[in-house]
Amino acid sequence: MKSFSSFVTRFASLKVSATLLVAFLLLTFWGVLAQANAESLGASVEVATDRFFGSYFVWAVGYIPLPAFKSVAALGVVHLVLCLICRMPRGWRFAGLWLMHIALIVLLLGSLVGSEIKREYNGYAIVPAEVAGAVSPLQAEVAPLSGARDLRLFLADDSLGLAPSEIDEQELKGGWPYFVQYRGYAEMAPGKNVAMYKVLYDPFHFVPYVFMVMFLLGATLHYFVKVRGVLPLLALLFAALPMDVRASAVPVWEALHSDTPVLVDGVVRPFDSFARGFLDDLSGRVTYKCRENDFCTGKISAAEIVRQAVLTPEKTHAYALFKVLRGDVSEALHLPSDSRYVSYVDLALSRDLLDFYASRNDDHPATAEMKRLYGNVRLYESVVNRSAFSVADEEVKFRLSLEVLYHHANLALWGFVVAFLACLLSALNMIFRSRKLDVAANGLCVATAVMLTAMFAVRAIVAARPPMSSLYEIVLLVALLLMAFESVAFFRCKNRTYALILPVTMMAAVLLFFAKFVLEPGDTFRPIPEVLNSSVFLTLHVFTIALGFAGMILSGVVAHLVLFRGSEALPSVEQPKGSPLYALMYGTLAFGGAFTILGTLLGGVWADFAWGRFWGFDPKECGALFVILWAMLLLHLRAGRLVSPRGFALLNAFSSIVTFLCWFGINLLGVGLHSYGFQGGTAMWLIGFVVVDTLAIGVIARRGK
C-alpha cells in the first residue's frame, strides 16, 4: 500500500507533467509531418489525422506500438486528477488554478468520450426540380421534406452505401446532437436532382465551450488573486462597412487613370490596384524596366503597361513581361535561354506546346510552372481583349483614391527603413551609452509604430473589413505590437534596460522586411475569401493570437539578452528573483502563452461557425497547439525547478524559432483547411532565420557562462 501511495505521488509530480507535454509536442510535430506526407502521396489528410490524433496507438515501422494522442490524453486525465488530489495547494487563493486544471480534465475526458460516441454520416435525398432552388431540403421554409424523397444516410466509412442508417428526419431537423451540413445538388437526370448532406452526431459538441468558459474564468480569477493587477479588457469590435457598389460597363478605355474605378470579378477596384496585381502575377514586379528595342524608355508603371495593352497591344506584345521560373520549361518551349523574362511574342511561337504541357495531369514542378505560365498568358490576353475588367461608374471615389495613395506612399517600405535605422542607433548606443542616441532610437520606434498604425487605419477603410485576414497583415500587426511595446517602455519605465531596444527593433525590422519583400503582393487589397470576412470572432482570434505570438517572440528576444548578460541577469543569492530582465522574460512568456490560448479558443469558435467543428487537428491548428504546449512546458519546468534558471533562459531563447516555425513553417506545407494562409517562396528565408538564430544562441550561451 505504501509503494502504491508512493507511485501515485510520483505520478502526480511536475516531472510527469513535463513528460506528458513533451509527448504531446512530439506527437503534434510527427502528426503534422504525416499529414503533409499523406497529401504529397495523394492520400487523404484524414488518414494521418486519425492515425496520430484519433487513435490510442500509432504503429511505427508497421509493428511497434507507440502511444498516440488519445493515449497521452487519457494519461493526462489521470495525472491531472492525481495532481488535484495530491499536489495542488488548497485555499481560495488557488481557486483559479483549480478551475483551470478542472477545465483541462473536462476537455480531455469529454474529447475522449465524445470521440467514441461521435458518428459521421454521408447522405442524399432525391429532390424534384420545383424545389431544387431551395437553400436546403432540410432547412428551406416551404416544406422541403414533403418534396424530397428517400432521404438516406450512410456511415462515412460505408463508401459503398451497403447499410443505410435509420435516423428520423424530424430528429435531424431538431438540431443538437445532430449537425447537418448541406453539400449541394447534383443533377442525375432531367427533373431529378440529388441533394447531398454531411451529418455529424456529436452529443459532446459543447465540451470545448465548457472548457473555454471554465479555463478563462479560472485564469482571470488566478490573475486577480495572485497578481493583484488590473486585467485589461481586450475587445476589438469592427463593423463591416457597406460595399454595395453599382457598376456599369462603360467602355471609356482612353481615360484610364490611377483612380479610375474598374469592375474586376464583380468588385470595384481602382485601376492602379488591378494593374499592380496584373503585372505582379506576370513578372513578380510592379514596374517594368524598358529594354533597348521596346516602345518605351526607363521604368514605366504597371498602370501604363495595362493602358498600353488595352490601347496599343502591338507594343506590349514585344515587352518582356512574363517571368519563367524554370530552365527546363524555357528549353521545352524553345524560349530565349539568356533571359528569365520573355515576351508574349516569344510565347506565341510555342503556344501549342504550352497548351499541351499545361493540360498534363501530374505533379511535376515543370508541369506546375507550365500551368502558371499558361494562366498568365490567358490573363494577358483577357486584358488585351478587354474582358479582364470593365470601366465602372462609381459614385464614391474617396476609398479608391485612398487605395491608390496607400500603394504610392509605400508605408511598409518606410516602416522597414525607419525600424532598421532605430536598430542601428540602438546598436551604436550599446557602445556609446548616449542619452541622445537612446532618445533618437526610441523616437524612430514611435515613428514606426505611428506609420504602421496609419497603415492599418487606411487598410480598414479601403478594404471595408478588419485588416487581419492575411499573413501579410498579421506580420505587420506583430511588428506593430513589438514597436508599441518598446515605445510604451520608453515613456513609462524608469528602470528600462537600454539593451532591450536592440533585439526588439531588430526583430521588428526582420518582420517588416519579410512582409515588404517576401509577402507583399503587387495588389495588397485583393478580395479575400468570403469566410474570412464573416465573423467578429475571426477578428478577435487574429488580434489575440497576434498578441500571443508577439509575446512569445518578445520572450525569446529577452532570453537572448539574459543569456548574454549571464550571471548578472540570472537569480542569485543577492537577487533571488533575478534581474528585471529575467522577470520580463518570464512575464512575456506567460503573456504570450495566455493570449495564444485565448486566440486559439476564439479561432475554434469561429471555425465552429464557419466549418461546423470547433477543432479538427488541422495543421494550422496544430501549429498554434505546438506554441501553447511549448509555453506550458517551459512554465512547468520553471515551476518545478526541473531546469536551472540558465537552462530555462536557454530553452526560452528558442521561443522565437518555435513561433516562427509554427507560424510560417506550417504555411509551407500547403495542407489543410487554412488554404488562405499558404505562402510559397518563404522556405529559404525561414531556414536562414532558424540557422542564424540558432548559431547566435549558441555563441551567446557560450559567452554568458
Side-chain angles (χ1 to χ4, degrees):
M1 187 69 182
K2 186 176 180 180
S3 60
F4 177 75
S5 176
S6 176
F7 169 77
V8 169
T9 303
R10 287 198 299 271
F11 194 74
S13 67
L14 276 172
K15 290 183 179 179
V16 176
S17 301
T19 302
L20 291 174
L21 286 169
V22 170
F24 278 126
L25 280 167
L26 293 175
L27 283 170
T28 303
F29 179 75
W30 193 5
V32 170
L33 290 183
Q35 289 173 331
N37 184 59
E39 179 82 4
S40 66
L41 295 176
S44 172
V45 176
E46 296 298 325
V47 174
T49 303
D50 291 339
R51 181 186 176 198
F52 286 89
F53 304 114
S55 304
Y56 286 93
F57 293 96
V58 56
W59 297 87
V61 202
Y63 56 86
I64 302 176
L66 295 175
F69 216 86
K70 291 174 74 172
S71 291
V72 180
L75 290 174
V77 171
V78 176
H79 171 69
L80 287 168
V81 171
L82 293 179
C83 285
L84 293 179
I85 297 174
C86 304
R87 186 167 53 83
M88 191 67 67
R90 270 67 171 172
W92 69 272
R93 294 185 60 206
F94 302 98
L97 206 58
W98 274 76
L99 191 55
M100 285 189 286
H101 283 76
I102 292 173
L104 283 171
I105 294 173
V106 169
L107 176 66
L108 294 176
L109 187 60
S111 299
L112 287 171
V113 176
S115 66
E116 301 299 326
I117 299 175
K118 183 167 55 177
R119 295 290 183 271
E120 186 176 317
Y121 303 91
N122 293 320
Y124 66 88
I126 300 174
V127 183
E130 56 267 20
V131 295
V135 175
S136 163
L138 287 176
Q139 298 173 351
E141 296 178 0
V142 189
L145 285 177
S146 61
R149 298 191 297 270
D150 299 329
L151 176 65
R152 309 186 74 187
L153 296 173
F154 302 89
L155 285 170
D157 54 4
D158 184 10
S159 58
L160 298 178
L162 299 176
S165 301
E166 299 295 333
I167 301 176
D168 185 74
E169 294 171 2
Q170 297 302 321
E171 197 173 359
L172 290 178
K173 292 174 65 178
W176 181 86
Y178 290 98
F179 301 88
V180 181
Q181 183 181 6
Y182 173 61
R183 307 297 292 273
Y185 282 102
E187 186 175 355
M188 305 300 292
K192 184 178 180 181
N193 300 276
V194 172
M196 296 173 291
Y197 300 93
K198 184 176 182 179
V199 177
L200 182 67
Y201 171 74
D202 187 7
F204 284 77
H205 189 77
F206 62 88
V207 167
Y209 293 96
V210 174
F211 162 75
M212 181 172 66
V213 172
M214 293 179 64
F215 189 88
L216 295 180
L217 284 176
T220 304
L221 181 61
H222 185 69
Y223 184 88
F224 273 118
V225 172
K226 295 292 290 183
V227 183
R228 297 183 180 87
V230 178
L231 186 67
L233 180 62
L234 293 171
L236 189 63
L237 301 176
F238 289 91
L241 300 180
M243 287 192 64
D244 183 15
V245 180
R246 297 185 178 182
S248 59
V250 181
V252 191
W253 304 104
E254 292 77 10
L256 290 173
H257 303 293
S258 293
D259 58 353
T260 298
V262 295
L263 185 65
V264 185
D265 295 330
V267 179
V268 174
R269 307 293 312 285
F271 173 65
D272 180 75
S273 293
F274 167 77
R276 289 171 64 93
F278 164 77
L279 189 57
D280 184 57
D281 285 340
L282 267 58
S283 63
R285 302 173 178 175
V286 293
T287 58
Y288 175 70
K289 186 177 181 180
C290 299
R291 300 179 302 176
E292 183 177 350
N293 297 324
D294 288 339
F295 297 96
C296 61
T297 56
K299 281 187 177 182
I300 56 177
S301 66
E304 181 60 28
I305 288 289
V306 177
R307 191 179 295 111
Q308 289 187 22
V310 170
L311 300 175
T312 56
E314 63 277 3
K315 293 182 179 180
T316 56
H317 284 351
Y319 292 173
L321 300 176
F322 298 86
K323 185 176 183 179
V324 184
L325 301 178
R326 294 181 61 89
D328 52 356
V329 171
S330 294
E331 185 177 351
L333 296 177
H334 310 298
L335 298 173
S337 58
D338 57 344
S339 176
R340 297 179 65 187
Y341 294 89
V342 298
S343 67
Y344 179 75
V345 173
D346 296 326
L347 290 169
L349 296 174
S350 303
R351 179 60 183 270
D352 292 340
L353 273 175
L354 180 60
D355 292 351
F356 170 74
Y357 284 120
S359 65
R360 295 170 59 180
N361 188 20
D362 61 63
D363 296 327
H364 195 279
T367 302
E369 174 60 10
M370 290 285 188
K371 291 181 177 180
R372 186 193 70 84
L373 201 56
Y374 180 71
N376 285 342
V377 169
R378 295 289 300 274
L379 175 62
Y380 174 82
E381 291 172 345
S382 67
V383 169
V384 171
N385 63 33
R386 305 182 180 183
S387 63
F389 66 94
S390 58
V391 181
D393 181 15
E394 167 68 61
E395 296 180 0
V396 182
K397 299 186 65 174
F398 171 74
R399 181 179 61 82
L400 304 180
S401 301
L402 195 61
E403 183 173 339
V404 174
L405 177 63
Y406 176 91
H407 282 135
H408 286 277
N410 211 350
L411 290 178
L413 175 62
W414 286 109
F416 162 69
V417 171
V418 175
F420 183 70
L421 290 176
C423 183
L424 288 179
L425 290 181
S426 58
L428 290 174
N429 192 39
M430 292 287 292
I431 301 173
F432 296 104
R433 298 288 182 174
S434 167
R435 175 65 179 172
K436 292 182 179 179
L437 282 175
D438 183 55
V439 171
N442 279 279
L444 293 177
C445 289
V446 174
T448 305
V450 170
M451 277 191 285
L452 293 176
T453 302
M455 282 183 65
F456 274 93
V458 172
R459 292 190 67 83
I461 295 171
V462 171
R465 60 171 173 82
M468 301 177 192
S469 299
S470 67
L471 189 59
Y472 169 71
E473 292 172 334
I474 298 172
V475 171
L476 290 176
L477 177 59
V478 174
L480 169 59
L481 292 172
L482 290 175
M483 282 306 199
F485 169 83
E486 175 57 35
S487 300
V488 172
F490 175 69
F491 287 110
R492 298 294 300 274
C493 300
K494 296 181 180 179
N495 297 323
R496 182 179 58 85
T497 171
Y498 293 104
L500 183 60
I501 184 177
L502 176 60
V504 170
T505 53
M506 182 182 296
M507 188 61 68
V510 167
L511 288 171
L512 290 171
F513 176 88
F514 189 68
K516 172 60 187 175
F517 297 104
V518 180
L519 297 179
E520 184 177 82
D523 177 9
T524 64
F525 291 98
R526 285 186 175 178
I528 61 173
E530 191 65 29
V531 70
L532 299 185
N533 197 21
S534 57
S535 173
V536 70
F537 286 109
L538 177 63
T539 302
L540 293 173
H541 154 65
V542 172
F543 183 72
T544 50
I545 209 157
L547 278 173
F549 283 178
M552 294 295 296
I553 293 171
L554 186 59
S555 184
V557 166
V558 177
H560 285 63
L561 286 176
V562 172
L563 289 175
F564 182 79
R565 292 193 170 185
S567 57
E568 178 186 344
L570 296 171
S572 60
V573 177
E574 292 77 16
Q575 48 180 14
K577 294 185 178 181
S579 67
L581 204 61
Y582 186 82
L584 179 63
M585 177 184 66
Y586 169 70
T588 49
L589 176 64
F591 177 91
F595 277 95
T596 304
I597 292 174
L598 178 60
T600 304
L601 291 173
L602 290 169
V605 175
W606 168 73
D608 196 21
F609 282 106
W611 296 330
R613 95 289 187 276
F614 193 95
W615 186 267
F617 287 103
D618 186 81
K620 193 74 172 178
E621 296 168 349
C622 289
L625 176 63
F626 196 94
V627 174
I628 294 170
L629 292 171
W630 176 258
M632 294 303 103
L633 174 62
L634 296 185
L635 292 174
H636 279 77
L637 290 175
R638 179 184 180 276
R641 298 182 180 178
L642 302 178
V643 294
S644 65
R646 188 174 183 278
F648 173 66
L650 181 61
L651 288 173
N652 203 10
F654 287 92
S655 292
S656 298
I657 293 177
V658 168
T659 304
F660 271 71
L661 286 174
C662 294
W663 186 8
F664 300 116
I666 293 292
N667 295 332
L668 298 174
L669 300 178
V671 180
L673 291 173
H674 295 74
S675 57
Y676 52 85
F678 298 160
Q679 177 67 40
T682 60
M684 294 306 299
W685 296 101
L686 184 61
I687 293 171
F689 170 77
V690 171
V691 170
V692 170
D693 196 33
T694 301
L695 292 175
I697 292 172
V699 172
I700 293 172
R702 287 178 62 86
R703 181 194 178 282
K705 282 186 177 181

